[in-house]
Amino acid sequence: MKNFIKKNVAEIDFNVFEEVGDKWLLVTTYDKENKRPNAMTASWGCAGILWGKPVCVLFIRPQRHTHKLIEESEYLSVNILEEKYRDAHKICGSQSGRDIDKIKKCNLTCIEIDGLVAFEQSESVLTLKKLYADDLRKECFIDKTVLSNYKNDDYHSMYVCEITGMYKAEV
């Protein structure tokens, strides 16, 4: 079993453009109704400092099963998988945890970090605590060209989450 070492968020070499935009994230929650973990691929997000705290901002569309689970949870994790597990992102980004056990289908191994579900196949894990949530609204977009991302008016919910822990897999 792989060992994960807790790191100081401020000291980590973390390129958000590479980690989110290129590698993608697995936003991970626990589905109490189905009694299993759930993960959703995300390639939109950001990280920084807000309210004097290190934060990760996630954007989830309301029709996603993960949206309901995040609404019900105070804590969640974000997993950045090793590149060789890229196919797991395709499954977790295109299929719903309402219908299938995505973790089982992806052959991911669940581990626990800070009381949250994480994956042994991760190279990094962020543990998060929700601080703020709001829905994006059409009337608030200043640059109307980005509205092309919302052909069905299915605007994302935005979650500002405190990064409570950052873990790197020991090599």
Short mmCIF file of all heavy atoms in Angstrom, two decimals, residues 23-28 38-42 64 79-97 100-109 119-122:
data_model
loop_
_atom_site.label_atom_id
_atom_site.label_comp_id
_atom_site.label_asym_id
_atom_site.label_seq_id
_atom_site.Cartn_x
_atom_site.Cartn_y
_atom_site.Cartn_z
N LYS A 23 -4.09 17.44 -15.98
CA LYS A 23 -4.22 16.13 -15.32
C LYS A 23 -5.65 15.81 -14.93
O LYS A 23 -6.03 14.66 -14.86
CB LYS A 23 -3.34 16.08 -14.07
CG LYS A 23 -1.86 16.08 -14.38
CD LYS A 23 -1.07 15.96 -13.09
CE LYS A 23 0.41 15.96 -13.37
NZ LYS A 23 1.18 15.90 -12.13
N TRP A 24 -6.43 16.83 -14.62
CA TRP A 24 -7.81 16.72 -14.18
C TRP A 24 -7.88 16.26 -12.72
O TRP A 24 -6.90 15.82 -12.14
CB TRP A 24 -8.65 15.83 -15.05
CG TRP A 24 -8.74 16.23 -16.49
CD1 TRP A 24 -8.44 17.44 -17.03
CD2 TRP A 24 -9.15 15.41 -17.57
NE1 TRP A 24 -8.65 17.43 -18.39
CE2 TRP A 24 -9.08 16.18 -18.74
CE3 TRP A 24 -9.57 14.09 -17.67
CZ2 TRP A 24 -9.43 15.69 -19.99
CZ3 TRP A 24 -9.90 13.59 -18.90
CH2 TRP A 24 -9.83 14.38 -20.05
N LEU A 25 -9.05 16.41 -12.16
CA LEU A 25 -9.29 16.09 -10.76
C LEU A 25 -10.39 15.05 -10.65
O LEU A 25 -11.29 15.00 -11.49
CB LEU A 25 -9.75 17.34 -10.01
CG LEU A 25 -8.95 18.62 -10.16
CD1 LEU A 25 -9.69 19.78 -9.51
CD2 LEU A 25 -7.57 18.45 -9.57
N LEU A 26 -10.34 14.27 -9.58
CA LEU A 26 -11.48 13.44 -9.21
C LEU A 26 -12.05 14.04 -7.93
O LEU A 26 -11.44 13.96 -6.86
CB LEU A 26 -11.07 11.99 -8.96
CG LEU A 26 -10.97 11.08 -10.16
CD1 LEU A 26 -10.65 9.65 -9.72
CD2 LEU A 26 -12.24 11.08 -10.99
N VAL A 27 -13.20 14.69 -8.05
CA VAL A 27 -13.90 15.24 -6.90
C VAL A 27 -14.62 14.06 -6.25
O VAL A 27 -15.44 13.40 -6.89
CB VAL A 27 -14.90 16.33 -7.34
CG1 VAL A 27 -15.66 16.88 -6.14
CG2 VAL A 27 -14.17 17.44 -8.08
N THR A 28 -14.31 13.81 -4.99
CA THR A 28 -14.74 12.56 -4.35
C THR A 28 -15.57 12.83 -3.11
O THR A 28 -15.19 13.61 -2.24
CB THR A 28 -13.51 11.70 -4.00
OG1 THR A 28 -12.70 11.57 -5.18
CG2 THR A 28 -13.91 10.34 -3.52
N ASN A 38 -18.20 8.04 -4.35
CA ASN A 38 -18.52 8.53 -5.68
C ASN A 38 -17.43 9.51 -6.10
O ASN A 38 -16.96 10.29 -5.27
CB ASN A 38 -19.88 9.24 -5.67
CG ASN A 38 -20.27 9.74 -7.04
OD1 ASN A 38 -20.63 8.97 -7.91
ND2 ASN A 38 -20.17 11.05 -7.25
N ALA A 39 -17.06 9.49 -7.35
CA ALA A 39 -16.05 10.42 -7.86
C ALA A 39 -16.50 10.96 -9.21
O ALA A 39 -17.11 10.25 -10.00
CB ALA A 39 -14.70 9.74 -7.99
N MET A 40 -16.20 12.23 -9.44
CA MET A 40 -16.55 12.89 -10.69
C MET A 40 -15.32 13.60 -11.23
O MET A 40 -14.62 14.29 -10.48
CB MET A 40 -17.66 13.92 -10.44
CG MET A 40 -18.13 14.61 -11.70
SD MET A 40 -19.06 16.12 -11.34
CE MET A 40 -17.70 17.28 -11.30
N THR A 41 -15.04 13.43 -12.50
CA THR A 41 -13.93 14.13 -13.12
C THR A 41 -14.26 15.60 -13.27
O THR A 41 -15.37 15.96 -13.66
CB THR A 41 -13.64 13.52 -14.51
OG1 THR A 41 -13.28 12.15 -14.34
CG2 THR A 41 -12.52 14.25 -15.22
N ALA A 42 -13.29 16.44 -12.94
CA ALA A 42 -13.45 17.89 -13.11
C ALA A 42 -12.19 18.43 -13.77
O ALA A 42 -11.07 18.04 -13.43
CB ALA A 42 -13.67 18.57 -11.76
N ARG A 64 -25.54 16.94 -12.10
CA ARG A 64 -24.61 15.86 -11.77
C ARG A 64 -24.97 15.24 -10.42
O ARG A 64 -25.34 15.95 -9.48
CB ARG A 64 -23.16 16.37 -11.72
CG ARG A 64 -22.64 16.95 -13.03
CD ARG A 64 -22.55 15.92 -14.15
NE ARG A 64 -21.70 14.80 -13.87
CZ ARG A 64 -20.47 14.62 -14.34
NH1 ARG A 64 -19.94 15.53 -15.13
NH2 ARG A 64 -19.78 13.54 -14.04
N ASN A 79 -8.75 14.16 -5.72
CA ASN A 79 -7.65 13.26 -6.00
C ASN A 79 -7.08 13.56 -7.38
O ASN A 79 -7.84 13.72 -8.34
CB ASN A 79 -8.16 11.81 -5.98
CG ASN A 79 -8.59 11.39 -4.59
OD1 ASN A 79 -7.85 10.73 -3.89
ND2 ASN A 79 -9.79 11.77 -4.18
N ILE A 80 -5.78 13.62 -7.46
CA ILE A 80 -5.09 13.78 -8.74
C ILE A 80 -4.40 12.45 -9.00
O ILE A 80 -3.47 12.06 -8.30
CB ILE A 80 -4.08 14.94 -8.69
CG1 ILE A 80 -4.84 16.24 -8.37
CG2 ILE A 80 -3.32 15.04 -10.01
CD1 ILE A 80 -3.96 17.41 -8.01
N LEU A 81 -4.93 11.73 -9.98
CA LEU A 81 -4.45 10.38 -10.26
C LEU A 81 -3.15 10.38 -11.04
O LEU A 81 -2.86 11.32 -11.77
CB LEU A 81 -5.50 9.60 -11.06
CG LEU A 81 -6.85 9.36 -10.42
CD1 LEU A 81 -7.75 8.58 -11.38
CD2 LEU A 81 -6.73 8.64 -9.10
N GLU A 82 -2.41 9.29 -10.88
CA GLU A 82 -1.24 9.07 -11.73
C GLU A 82 -1.72 8.99 -13.18
O GLU A 82 -2.84 8.53 -13.45
CB GLU A 82 -0.55 7.77 -11.33
CG GLU A 82 0.02 7.77 -9.94
CD GLU A 82 0.56 6.41 -9.53
OE1 GLU A 82 0.90 5.59 -10.41
OE2 GLU A 82 0.64 6.16 -8.31
N GLU A 83 -0.91 9.42 -14.10
CA GLU A 83 -1.28 9.50 -15.52
C GLU A 83 -1.76 8.15 -16.08
O GLU A 83 -2.67 8.12 -16.91
CB GLU A 83 -0.11 10.02 -16.35
CG GLU A 83 -0.43 10.25 -17.81
CD GLU A 83 -1.55 11.26 -18.07
OE1 GLU A 83 -1.68 12.22 -17.30
OE2 GLU A 83 -2.31 11.06 -19.03
N LYS A 84 -1.19 7.07 -15.61
CA LYS A 84 -1.58 5.76 -16.17
C LYS A 84 -3.03 5.38 -15.86
O LYS A 84 -3.56 4.43 -16.42
CB LYS A 84 -0.62 4.66 -15.70
CG LYS A 84 -0.62 4.40 -14.23
CD LYS A 84 0.45 3.37 -13.89
CE LYS A 84 0.59 3.17 -12.40
NZ LYS A 84 1.67 2.23 -12.09
N TYR A 85 -3.70 6.15 -15.00
CA TYR A 85 -5.10 5.90 -14.67
C TYR A 85 -6.04 6.89 -15.37
O TYR A 85 -7.16 7.11 -14.94
CB TYR A 85 -5.31 5.94 -13.15
CG TYR A 85 -4.50 4.88 -12.45
CD1 TYR A 85 -3.32 5.21 -11.79
CD2 TYR A 85 -4.89 3.55 -12.49
CE1 TYR A 85 -2.56 4.24 -11.17
CE2 TYR A 85 -4.12 2.57 -11.87
CZ TYR A 85 -2.96 2.92 -11.21
OH TYR A 85 -2.20 1.96 -10.62
N ARG A 86 -5.60 7.44 -16.47
CA ARG A 86 -6.37 8.44 -17.21
C ARG A 86 -7.74 7.91 -17.64
O ARG A 86 -8.72 8.66 -17.68
CB ARG A 86 -5.56 8.89 -18.44
CG ARG A 86 -6.13 10.04 -19.19
CD ARG A 86 -6.05 11.30 -18.38
NE ARG A 86 -6.25 12.45 -19.21
CZ ARG A 86 -5.99 13.67 -18.83
NH1 ARG A 86 -5.49 13.89 -17.66
NH2 ARG A 86 -6.21 14.68 -19.62
N ASP A 87 -7.82 6.62 -17.95
CA ASP A 87 -9.11 6.05 -18.36
C ASP A 87 -10.16 6.16 -17.27
O ASP A 87 -11.36 6.24 -17.57
CB ASP A 87 -8.94 4.59 -18.78
CG ASP A 87 -8.30 4.46 -20.15
OD1 ASP A 87 -8.21 5.46 -20.88
OD2 ASP A 87 -7.87 3.34 -20.50
N ALA A 88 -9.74 6.18 -16.01
CA ALA A 88 -10.70 6.34 -14.91
C ALA A 88 -11.41 7.69 -15.03
O ALA A 88 -12.61 7.80 -14.73
CB ALA A 88 -10.00 6.22 -13.56
N HIS A 89 -10.69 8.70 -15.50
CA HIS A 89 -11.31 10.01 -15.68
C HIS A 89 -12.40 9.97 -16.74
O HIS A 89 -13.41 10.65 -16.62
CB HIS A 89 -10.26 11.05 -16.08
CG HIS A 89 -9.47 11.56 -14.93
ND1 HIS A 89 -10.02 12.25 -13.88
CD2 HIS A 89 -8.15 11.46 -14.64
CE1 HIS A 89 -9.08 12.57 -13.01
NE2 HIS A 89 -7.94 12.10 -13.46
N LYS A 90 -12.17 9.20 -17.77
CA LYS A 90 -13.17 9.10 -18.84
C LYS A 90 -14.46 8.49 -18.31
O LYS A 90 -15.55 8.96 -18.62
CB LYS A 90 -12.60 8.29 -20.01
CG LYS A 90 -11.45 9.01 -20.68
CD LYS A 90 -10.81 8.17 -21.75
CE LYS A 90 -9.58 8.89 -22.30
NZ LYS A 90 -8.76 8.03 -23.13
N ILE A 91 -14.35 7.47 -17.49
CA ILE A 91 -15.53 6.84 -16.89
C ILE A 91 -16.19 7.78 -15.90
O ILE A 91 -17.41 8.01 -15.94
CB ILE A 91 -15.15 5.50 -16.22
CG1 ILE A 91 -14.73 4.49 -17.29
CG2 ILE A 91 -16.30 4.97 -15.36
CD1 ILE A 91 -14.06 3.25 -16.75
N CYS A 92 -15.40 8.35 -15.01
CA CYS A 92 -15.95 9.22 -13.95
C CYS A 92 -16.48 10.54 -14.50
O CYS A 92 -17.25 11.22 -13.83
CB CYS A 92 -14.90 9.47 -12.87
SG CYS A 92 -14.52 7.99 -11.92
N GLY A 93 -16.08 10.89 -15.71
CA GLY A 93 -16.57 12.12 -16.33
C GLY A 93 -17.75 11.92 -17.25
O GLY A 93 -18.40 12.88 -17.64
N SER A 94 -18.06 10.66 -17.58
CA SER A 94 -19.12 10.43 -18.56
C SER A 94 -20.25 9.55 -18.04
O SER A 94 -21.29 9.46 -18.68
CB SER A 94 -18.53 9.80 -19.82
OG SER A 94 -18.03 8.51 -19.52
N GLN A 95 -20.06 8.90 -16.91
CA GLN A 95 -21.09 8.02 -16.38
C GLN A 95 -21.51 8.51 -14.99
O GLN A 95 -20.73 9.13 -14.28
CB GLN A 95 -20.57 6.58 -16.33
CG GLN A 95 -20.25 6.08 -17.72
CD GLN A 95 -19.88 4.61 -17.76
OE1 GLN A 95 -20.32 3.84 -16.94
NE2 GLN A 95 -19.06 4.24 -18.72
N SER A 96 -22.73 8.19 -14.61
CA SER A 96 -23.27 8.70 -13.36
C SER A 96 -23.19 7.68 -12.24
O SER A 96 -23.50 6.49 -12.44
CB SER A 96 -24.73 9.12 -13.55
OG SER A 96 -25.27 9.52 -12.30
N GLY A 97 -22.81 8.15 -11.08
CA GLY A 97 -22.80 7.32 -9.88
C GLY A 97 -24.21 6.95 -9.43
O GLY A 97 -24.37 6.09 -8.56
N ILE A 100 -24.18 3.48 -11.68
CA ILE A 100 -23.13 2.46 -11.55
C ILE A 100 -22.19 2.81 -10.40
O ILE A 100 -22.15 3.95 -9.95
CB ILE A 100 -22.29 2.31 -12.84
CG1 ILE A 100 -21.51 3.61 -13.13
CG2 ILE A 100 -23.14 1.90 -14.03
CD1 ILE A 100 -20.39 3.43 -14.11
N ASP A 101 -21.46 1.82 -9.96
CA ASP A 101 -20.39 2.03 -8.99
C ASP A 101 -19.14 2.36 -9.80
O ASP A 101 -18.43 1.48 -10.28
CB ASP A 101 -20.20 0.78 -8.13
CG ASP A 101 -19.16 0.95 -7.05
OD1 ASP A 101 -18.33 1.88 -7.13
OD2 ASP A 101 -19.16 0.13 -6.11
N LYS A 102 -18.88 3.66 -9.97
CA LYS A 102 -17.76 4.09 -10.82
C LYS A 102 -16.41 3.66 -10.25
O LYS A 102 -15.50 3.34 -11.00
CB LYS A 102 -17.79 5.61 -11.01
CG LYS A 102 -18.95 6.09 -11.82
CD LYS A 102 -18.80 7.55 -12.21
CE LYS A 102 -19.29 8.47 -11.15
NZ LYS A 102 -19.27 9.89 -11.57
N ILE A 103 -16.29 3.65 -8.94
CA ILE A 103 -15.02 3.28 -8.31
C ILE A 103 -14.68 1.83 -8.65
O ILE A 103 -13.55 1.51 -9.02
CB ILE A 103 -15.09 3.49 -6.78
CG1 ILE A 103 -15.62 4.88 -6.42
CG2 ILE A 103 -13.75 3.20 -6.14
CD1 ILE A 103 -14.99 6.04 -7.12
N LYS A 104 -15.67 0.97 -8.54
CA LYS A 104 -15.48 -0.44 -8.86
C LYS A 104 -15.16 -0.61 -10.35
O LYS A 104 -14.25 -1.34 -10.72
CB LYS A 104 -16.73 -1.23 -8.48
CG LYS A 104 -16.61 -2.71 -8.65
CD LYS A 104 -17.87 -3.41 -8.14
CE LYS A 104 -17.74 -4.91 -8.24
NZ LYS A 104 -18.93 -5.59 -7.73
N LYS A 105 -15.91 0.09 -11.20
CA LYS A 105 -15.71 -0.02 -12.65
C LYS A 105 -14.31 0.45 -13.05
O LYS A 105 -13.72 -0.09 -13.99
CB LYS A 105 -16.77 0.78 -13.40
CG LYS A 105 -16.71 0.59 -14.89
CD LYS A 105 -17.93 1.11 -15.59
CE LYS A 105 -17.84 0.77 -17.07
NZ LYS A 105 -19.06 1.06 -17.78
N CYS A 106 -13.77 1.43 -12.34
CA CYS A 106 -12.44 1.98 -12.64
C CYS A 106 -11.31 1.18 -11.97
O CYS A 106 -10.14 1.48 -12.19
CB CYS A 106 -12.35 3.42 -12.19
SG CYS A 106 -13.41 4.54 -13.11
N ASN A 107 -11.66 0.22 -11.14
CA ASN A 107 -10.67 -0.55 -10.38
C ASN A 107 -9.80 0.34 -9.50
O ASN A 107 -8.60 0.11 -9.36
CB ASN A 107 -9.79 -1.41 -11.31
CG ASN A 107 -10.59 -2.50 -11.99
OD1 ASN A 107 -11.38 -3.19 -11.33
ND2 ASN A 107 -10.41 -2.64 -13.28
N LEU A 108 -10.42 1.35 -8.91
CA LEU A 108 -9.69 2.22 -7.99
C LEU A 108 -9.75 1.63 -6.59
O LEU A 108 -10.75 1.04 -6.20
CB LEU A 108 -10.28 3.62 -7.99
CG LEU A 108 -10.16 4.40 -9.30
CD1 LEU A 108 -10.90 5.72 -9.22
CD2 LEU A 108 -8.70 4.62 -9.66
N THR A 109 -8.67 1.78 -5.85
CA THR A 109 -8.58 1.26 -4.49
C THR A 109 -8.82 2.40 -3.51
O THR A 109 -8.05 3.37 -3.47
CB THR A 109 -7.18 0.65 -4.25
OG1 THR A 109 -6.94 -0.33 -5.26
CG2 THR A 109 -7.09 0.03 -2.86
N PHE A 119 -7.92 7.76 -3.06
CA PHE A 119 -7.56 6.61 -3.88
C PHE A 119 -6.07 6.35 -3.84
O PHE A 119 -5.26 7.28 -3.96
CB PHE A 119 -8.02 6.80 -5.33
CG PHE A 119 -9.50 7.06 -5.42
CD1 PHE A 119 -9.98 8.28 -5.81
CD2 PHE A 119 -10.40 6.08 -5.07
CE1 PHE A 119 -11.33 8.54 -5.86
CE2 PHE A 119 -11.76 6.31 -5.12
CZ PHE A 119 -12.23 7.55 -5.51
N GLU A 120 -5.72 5.09 -3.69
CA GLU A 120 -4.31 4.70 -3.66
C GLU A 120 -3.61 5.06 -4.96
O GLU A 120 -2.41 5.30 -4.99
CB GLU A 120 -4.19 3.20 -3.38
CG GLU A 120 -2.77 2.77 -3.14
CD GLU A 120 -2.65 1.36 -2.63
OE1 GLU A 120 -3.59 0.84 -2.02
OE2 GLU A 120 -1.59 0.77 -2.86
N GLN A 121 -4.33 5.14 -6.06
CA GLN A 121 -3.75 5.45 -7.36
C GLN A 121 -3.46 6.95 -7.53
O GLN A 121 -2.98 7.37 -8.57
CB GLN A 121 -4.70 4.99 -8.47
CG GLN A 121 -4.84 3.49 -8.58
CD GLN A 121 -5.85 2.88 -7.60
OE1 GLN A 121 -6.45 3.57 -6.78
NE2 GLN A 121 -6.02 1.58 -7.66
N SER A 122 -3.71 7.73 -6.51
CA SER A 122 -3.47 9.18 -6.58
C SER A 122 -2.00 9.51 -6.40
O SER A 122 -1.28 8.80 -5.69
CB SER A 122 -4.27 9.90 -5.49
OG SER A 122 -5.64 9.71 -5.67
#
